[in-house]
């Protein structure tokens, strides 16, 4: 029998053993070693060792990276339109190669999607890397997979991921066919010279039409139908053929083990204990723990503290060889030091830097303010921490007389903005107000050019003293793929949003009776028109069948004006808008009615006005709360009542003259959280 003290100690050791399963491998071994060293021999040591064996069995085996020369390495990415099954295929590939265990009941779902927002929404927001070991043609092959996002807002993530690859799996839904983003990612991969393996997925669906979609791929991309793989990632049907195609069709990377170290940094993430973790693709040479490296971009020097691969979690290795993709930790404390597209080399052995990436450009700006102004410091710290894992967000401090201190953030698109907001609320418990999204405008003066993203800084173009020569707004080259019967609706939608250069062509003939022909509609749209409710209307008017993609189209001159909202004659800066003059009356009326609903009544009459320059274009009047001052008068001459009413009227005039209307925070929240902005 064990004593009570020993029983407590044994229970504690079991708890620690269970806890170590969640630790990183290095920490797990260290904790188990210390624990076993401290236990008395008279314990039930066999039981303790059996628990230890379970924990150690859960530890991934150490990989000998020198066993994988360039000839057996395949670096590839999965690219597709949103919701075409990229993450599902990644799950099946990880299972088939034994990287993750197959569940006895149910399926592994979104293994590589690690963020809460990704699992809740069922979308991929951040590209994820995983290395797999696969036996093919009698050799062990190292397959490096990168699962990419599908939404147009995260196209920058896709282009970065493809820089570390030699091939790509182009997924197309067999029931939906080629979509707008399918065309976009195909051309990105082609420009980089990648070998593309076309894959038709979801063939198990009753609505799937593999033959028709194969003909569509041939007509759109010139792909030979005999090269197209037919799979169902959900059931696993045909996934083995995908692995064979990866090994047989995708070329191995080139690299020389004897050349000086050259590593290409294509992504980074932040760890609060180890600092910046950089994801690198080794072009030449070897990188090992203890090596001293330098950055071609910043010229700063670092010492490697850890190298490894994502398998799919971090697994430390002794080195990374040419052609391999992995991570390095080097005590890099500031995320800004990890320049995406940078080339790393050994100190003292300079190399020619590789061509990097075009830096991400913010397309949409919004002000973020705390609901309680006392929480600003906490909010700013939360935003800074979150941007360590999302490098494409730009930050600038701003202040508003109505909302107090806040930050002006730049995003890649409206979905990116919404995801960032949800991550702030989920991960940092932030309670925030986000202003209406705006786009960056170019103001050309007679002697200078200024970029403005905050409506409060927009000049009054009708004022000749401002010396504004021209105002330009950003435009995008949009493409919409839609069934033929919805073409009229889509054209009306585009024209209602100031589209120009409208053109269309048919993707397929629609020879089958149950499916109509599909057309691709191309046009030039102002970016400000698509950051509000354009996408919602697109899906609504096409019954969900239309898909939308866009790319930057530069700047174009436009007739724009700043709209200001006045409460009792005083402007509310946080509600300022930049509108096109053709829509100013409609927008002014809509916003004035919204304000009329949410502003609490005052003791005096409050005029709510929308003004462009010095001209009032819309008005609503908020009636005053009125006390019944004649309630105590019974009988007598009617002039007694009139005297009391005149006194009340005079008091209200005085209140209106000196009174101010404070728009409460919850009213701001009601206005800015609605989508009809």
């Amino acid at each position: 029998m064990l004593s009570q003290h020993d029983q407590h100690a044994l229970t504690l050791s079991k708890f620690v053993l269970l806890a170590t399963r969640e630790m990183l491998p290095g920490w797990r071994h260290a904790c188990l070693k210390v624990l076993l060293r401290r236990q008395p021999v008279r314990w039930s040591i066999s039981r303790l060792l059996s628990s230890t064996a379970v924990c150690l069995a859960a530890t991934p085996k150490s990989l000998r990276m020198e066993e994988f020369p360039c000839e057996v390495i395949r670096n590839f990415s999965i690219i597709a339109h949103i919701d075409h099954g990229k993450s599902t295929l990644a799950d099946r590939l990880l299972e088939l190669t034994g990287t993750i265990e197959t569940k006895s009941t149910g399926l592994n779902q979104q293994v590589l999607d690690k963020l809460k927002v990704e699992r809740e929404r069922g979308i991929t927001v951040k590209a994820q890397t995983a290395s797999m070991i696969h036996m093919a043609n009698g050799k062990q092959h190292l397959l490096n997979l990168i699962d990419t996002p599908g939404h147009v807002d995260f196209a920058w993530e896709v282009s970065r991921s493809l820089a570390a690859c030699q091939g790509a799996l182009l997924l197309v839904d067999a029931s939906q066919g080629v979509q707008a983003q399918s065309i976009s990612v195909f051309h990105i991969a082609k420009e980089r010279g990648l070998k593309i393996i076309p894959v038709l997925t979801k063939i198990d669906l009753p609505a799937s039409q593999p033959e028709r979609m194969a003909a569509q791929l041939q007509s759109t991309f010139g792909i030979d139908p005999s090269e197209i793989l037919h799979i169902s990632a959900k059931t696993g049907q045909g996934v083995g053929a995908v692995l064979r195609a990866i090994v047989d069709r995708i070329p191995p990377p080139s690299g020389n083990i004897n050349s000086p170290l050259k590593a290409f940094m294509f992504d980074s993430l932040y760890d609060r204990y180890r600092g910046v973790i950089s994801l690198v693709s080794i072009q030449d040479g070897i990188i090992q723990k203890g090596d001293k490296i330098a950055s071609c971009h910043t010229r700063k020097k670092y010492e490697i503290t850890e190298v490894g691969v994502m398998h799919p979690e971090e697994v430390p290795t002794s080195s990374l060889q040419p052609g391999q993709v992995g991570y390095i930790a080097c005590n890099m404390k500031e995320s800004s030091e990890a320049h995406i597209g940078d080339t790393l080399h050994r100190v003292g052995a300079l190399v020619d830097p590789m061509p990097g990436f075009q830096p991400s450009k913010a397309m949409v700006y919004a002000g973020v303010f705390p609901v309680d102004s006392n929480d600003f410091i906490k909010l700013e710290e939360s935003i800074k921490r979150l941007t360590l894992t999302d490098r494409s967000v730009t930050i600038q401090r701003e202040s508003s007389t109505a909302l107090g201190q806040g930050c002006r953030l730049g995003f890649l698109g409206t979905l990116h903005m919404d995801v960032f907001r949800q991550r702030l609320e989920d991960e940092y418990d932030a309670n925030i107000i986000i202003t209406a999204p705006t786009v960056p405008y170019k103001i050309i003066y007679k002697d200078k050019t200024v970029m403005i993203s905050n409506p409060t800084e927009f000049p009054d173009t009708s004022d000749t003293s401002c010396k504004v020569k021209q105002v330009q707004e950003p435009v995008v080259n949009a493409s919409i793929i839609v069934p033929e019967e919805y073409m009229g609706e889509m054209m009306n939608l585009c024209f209602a949003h100031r589209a120009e250069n409208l053109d269309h062509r048919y993707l397929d003939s629609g020879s089958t009776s149950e499916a109509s022909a599909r057309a691709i509609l191309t046009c030039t749209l102002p970016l400000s028109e698509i950051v509000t409710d354009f996408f919602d209307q697109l899906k609504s008017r096409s019954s969900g069948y239309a898909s939308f993609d866009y790319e930057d189209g530069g700047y174009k001159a436009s007739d724009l004006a700043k709209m200001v909202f006045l409460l009792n004659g005083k402007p509310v800066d946080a509600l300022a808008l930049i509108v096109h003059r053709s829509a100013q009356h409609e927008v002014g009326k809509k916003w004035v009615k919204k304000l009329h609903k949410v502003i609490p009544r005052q003791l005096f009459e409050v005029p709510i006005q929308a003004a462009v320059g010095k001209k009032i274009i819309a008005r609503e009047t908020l009636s005053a709360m009125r006390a019944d001052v004649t309630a105590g008068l019974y009988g007598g001459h009617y002039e007694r009542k009139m005297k009391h009413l005149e006194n009340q009227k005079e008091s209200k005039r005085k209140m209106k003259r000196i009174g101010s209307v404070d728009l409460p925070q919850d009213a701001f929240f009601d206005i800015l959280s609605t989508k009809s902005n």
Side-chain angles (χ1 to χ4, degrees), residues 300-354:
K300 290 189 176 181
K301 299 174 183 177
Y302 308 96
E303 183 176 346
I304 302 290
T305 57
E306 187 181 334
V307 296
V309 294
M310 310 297 278
H311 188 63
E313 301 300 329
E314 292 176 5
V315 177
T317 60
S318 58
S319 65
L320 287 175
Q321 309 281 321
Q324 295 174 1
V325 174
Y327 72 90
I328 60 169
C330 54
N331 288 328
M332 196 181 286
K333 297 302 180 189
E334 292 292 329
S335 187
S336 56
E337 295 176 34
H339 184 75
I340 303 301
D342 196 2
T343 303
L344 304 176
H345 61 88
R346 196 167 271 108
V347 173
L350 293 174
V351 294
D352 293 330
M354 296 182 65

Side-chain angles (χ1 to χ4, degrees), residues 652-676:
K652 288 191 181 294
R653 272 197 215 102
K654 189 175 180 181
M655 273 195 283
K656 186 175 179 180
R657 231 178 13 252
I658 63 172
S660 62
V661 182
D662 288 331
L663 195 58
Q665 296 280 23
D666 52 351
F668 267 110
F669 195 76
D670 287 344
I671 296 167
L672 299 174
S673 62
T674 55
K675 286 192 173 182
S676 57

Side-chain angles (χ1 to χ4, degrees), residues 48 95 172 198 246 359 387 434 474 484 486 495 563 644 651 669 676:
L48 191 62
E95 287 177 356
V172 175
I246 290 167
T387 51
I434 294 191
E484 185 181 27
Y486 297 106
F495 284 130
M563 182 178 289
H644 280 79
S651 300
F669 195 76
S676 57

Side-chain angles (χ1 to χ4, degrees), residues 98-110:
T99 310
I100 60 174
E101 291 182 7
T102 306
K103 286 186 178 179
S104 55
T105 57
L107 294 170
N108 285 302
Q109 292 184 341
Q110 294 176 273

Side-chain angles (χ1 to χ4, degrees), residues 7-42:
Q7 284 177 350
H8 282 308
L10 186 58
T11 305
L12 178 63
S13 68
K14 286 180 180 177
F15 172 77
V16 173
L17 285 167
L18 286 169
T20 55
R21 293 185 189 182
E22 305 299 323
M23 292 183 180
L24 291 171
W27 280 102
R28 186 186 295 125
H29 285 295
C31 288
L32 289 171
K33 204 171 177 183
V34 171
L35 185 67
L36 287 171
R37 193 188 305 142
R38 292 174 66 90
Q39 308 310 324
V41 181
R42 60 195 176 125

Side-chain angles (χ1 to χ4, degrees), residues 23 57 111 142 159 311 344 355 402 421 452 537 547 565 593 616 634:
M23 292 183 180
V111 173
L142 178 65
S159 66
H311 188 63
L344 304 176
R421 174 199 58 77
I452 286 176
Q537 288 190 40
S547 63
F565 295 94
K593 284 181 180 175
I616 304 297
Y634 298 100

Side-chain angles (χ1 to χ4, degrees), residues 24 31 46 82 120 133 164 200 281 302 317 362 373 410 445 485 544 553 569 586 593 626 672:
L24 291 171
C31 288
S46 60
I82 189 169
E120 284 182 356
I133 311 297
L200 277 177
S281 171
Y302 308 96
T317 60
S373 55
Y445 293 93
E485 61 263 32
E586 183 188 344
K593 284 181 180 175
R626 181 174 174 272
L672 299 174

